[in-house]
Amino acid sequence: MNQGELSSLLRGKGFKATPQRLAILKALMDTHKHPTAERIFHSLRGDFPTLSLATVYKTLEMLKTAGLVSQLDAHGGGKRYDANTEPHCHLVCSRCGRMDDLVDPVIDFQWLPRLVEHAREVTPFAVKRPELYLYGICPGCQE
């Protein structure tokens, strides 16, 4: 997406399209690495010397509230962010914390709402968001 499209996207959600917000959103849309707030901050610091880590956190929270990014809480990996808000699976390395998307047309996520509804019916849990993580060892750690 170009800057104009990103600006329209933010304005359409009722938010000002500041240069920092646009850069944070673009940084997330340009990667599949599921970065932390700190990683985003360090990647943008050269272009935005006055950018603070607090601004990155506030912007990520705003983008999450607007439904433009997802916050991922993989066990032991801290909070990470993903601009792909469509249902998909994450592969997580149990050793190094690497996280990759598993997007495959064979996997049909139409069952997910039914699973959430079933969980709400048979357990006392108030399910907030469904996520699917597969844990294993990444190729780099297998070597």
Side-chain angles (χ1 to χ4, degrees):
M1 258 186 205
N2 65 37
Q3 290 291 99
E5 293 169 322
L6 292 174
S7 292
S8 295
L9 191 59
L10 284 177
R11 287 190 192 108
K13 296 287 186 175
F15 297 103
K16 285 178 63 175
T18 67
Q20 292 87 352
R21 288 176 177 173
L22 291 169
I24 292 166
L25 181 56
K26 183 161 179 28
L28 280 168
M29 291 186 148
D30 287 350
T31 187
H32 297 286
K33 295 189 183 246
H34 311 91
T36 62
E38 291 83 4
R39 184 168 289 167
I40 294 168
F41 170 72
H42 290 296
S43 74
L44 297 176
R45 191 71 199 260
D47 293 330
F48 297 91
T50 61
L51 180 69
S52 71
L53 184 56
T55 297
V56 174
Y57 275 111
K58 288 176 188 173
T59 301
L60 289 169
E61 188 60 34
M62 178 210 61
L63 294 171
K64 185 175 84 169
T65 301
L68 297 174
V69 303
S70 297
Q71 179 180 304
L72 308 173
D73 299 307
H75 177 73
K79 293 179 181 175
R80 297 167 75 169
Y81 298 89
D82 191 353
N84 180 358
T85 58
E86 295 297 315
H88 63 284
C89 182
H90 291 100
L91 301 165
V92 182
C93 180
S94 299
R95 288 190 185 155
C96 71
R98 172 180 163 176
M99 185 182 293
D100 293 343
D101 288 336
L102 173 61
V103 180
D104 189 320
V106 172
I107 302 171
D108 179 1
F109 284 94
Q110 290 182 9
W111 52 268
L112 200 52
R114 291 191 309 273
L115 177 62
V116 169
E117 186 58 36
H118 179 72
R120 288 179 178 150
E121 290 172 1
V122 300
T123 72
F125 280 82
V127 177
K128 301 287 184 189
R129 66 179 194 257
E131 295 180 14
L132 181 59
Y133 295 100
L134 299 177
Y135 291 88
I137 307 298
C138 74
C141 289
Q142 290 177 34
E143 294 177 357

